[in-house]
Amino acid sequence: MKKFGLLGEHLGHSFSKGIHEHYFEKEKIDGNYTLIEKNINEIESLMTELREKKYACINVTIPYKVEVMKYLDDISDESIKIGAVNTILSKDGKITELEELGELKDARISELEELIELKDKEHLYTLSDSLRNGSSHAGSELN
């Protein structure tokens, strides 16, 4: 079973576990999604766990979108410009980011719309991109 998770400080309000577990079930993925609540001084040990492949992939939320960047072995120019990352994984012994492609984002939004019956797609784009610490960049993505 692959282990996935969401890294954050306080995650009691998050819908991520339910959304991802629904997706795993729907797509018949043998996976588990965990809410990983950590203090800032616990991030380094979590990055060691990721490097050791104890997690397949970790989504990152505020306040750690910037903090985890210093542990990445490889990072895109876009994320450097924005100053934040969304998703990290271990690949070939290195911690890197999962770059989100437009088509992948559209696919995720379709699934989210189905799950939460969202009527206004633009609000989801705005929320998703704004949380990346790049709201000015996100605005240009909407046009």
Side-chain angles (χ1 to χ4, degrees), residues 25-93:
E25 184 180 322
K26 180 179 173 187
E27 297 298 321
K28 297 180 180 19
I29 295 170
D30 187 21
N32 176 294
Y33 197 88
T34 307
L35 298 179
I36 309 166
E37 291 188 333
K38 297 285 184 186
N39 293 317
I40 198 160
N41 59 350
E42 298 172 297
I43 301 301
E44 187 171 4
S45 64
L46 179 64
M47 295 302 103
T48 300
E49 290 181 42
L50 179 60
R51 192 176 301 278
E52 294 169 351
K53 298 230 176 225
K54 291 184 180 174
Y55 289 91
C57 191
I58 297 174
N59 296 320
V60 185
T61 191
I62 295 170
Y64 301 128
K65 289 178 172 287
V66 176
E67 179 67 22
V68 298
M69 291 176 72
K70 67 183 176 187
Y71 298 100
L72 298 182
D73 298 304
D74 191 23
I75 188 168
S76 71
D77 291 339
E78 180 185 36
S79 291
I80 291 169
K81 226 183 286 184
I82 291 170
V85 295
N86 271 339
T87 307
I88 56 177
L89 66 147
S90 180
K91 186 175 181 182
D92 301 323

Side-chain angles (χ1 to χ4, degrees):
M1 175 177 288
K2 289 187 177 182
K3 191 172 177 182
F4 301 84
L6 173 66
L7 169 62
E9 192 170 33
H10 305 288
L11 300 173
H13 64 282
S14 176
F15 293 107
S16 291
K17 182 175 175 62
I19 290 169
H20 284 85
E21 287 183 349
H22 172 81
Y23 178 78
F24 293 161
E25 184 180 322
K26 180 179 173 187
E27 297 298 321
K28 297 180 180 19
I29 295 170
D30 187 21
N32 176 294
Y33 197 88
T34 307
L35 298 179
I36 309 166
E37 291 188 333
K38 297 285 184 186
N39 293 317
I40 198 160
N41 59 350
E42 298 172 297
I43 301 301
E44 187 171 4
S45 64
L46 179 64
M47 295 302 103
T48 300
E49 290 181 42
L50 179 60
R51 192 176 301 278
E52 294 169 351
K53 298 230 176 225
K54 291 184 180 174
Y55 289 91
C57 191
I58 297 174
N59 296 320
V60 185
T61 191
I62 295 170
Y64 301 128
K65 289 178 172 287
V66 176
E67 179 67 22
V68 298
M69 291 176 72
K70 67 183 176 187
Y71 298 100
L72 298 182
D73 298 304
D74 191 23
I75 188 168
S76 71
D77 291 339
E78 180 185 36
S79 291
I80 291 169
K81 226 183 286 184
I82 291 170
V85 295
N86 271 339
T87 307
I88 56 177
L89 66 147
S90 180
K91 186 175 181 182
D92 301 323
K94 294 181 177 181
I95 299 176
T96 187
E97 67 179 314
L98 176 66
E99 294 183 52
E100 293 186 39
L101 304 174
E103 292 131 29
L104 178 59
K105 186 189 289 184
D106 286 344
R108 286 182 180 169
I109 286 173
S110 288
E111 288 178 18
L112 286 174
E113 286 175 330
E114 181 182 311
L115 280 174
I116 60 177
E117 299 178 29
L118 188 66
K119 305 232 185 307
D120 187 349
K121 190 174 185 175
E122 283 190 20
H123 283 99
L124 185 56
Y125 273 114
T126 303
L127 175 61
S128 171
D129 287 338
S130 294
L131 292 177
R132 288 191 75 189
N133 196 29
S135 54
S136 62
H137 174 75
S140 67
E141 293 290 316
L142 291 174
N143 296 328

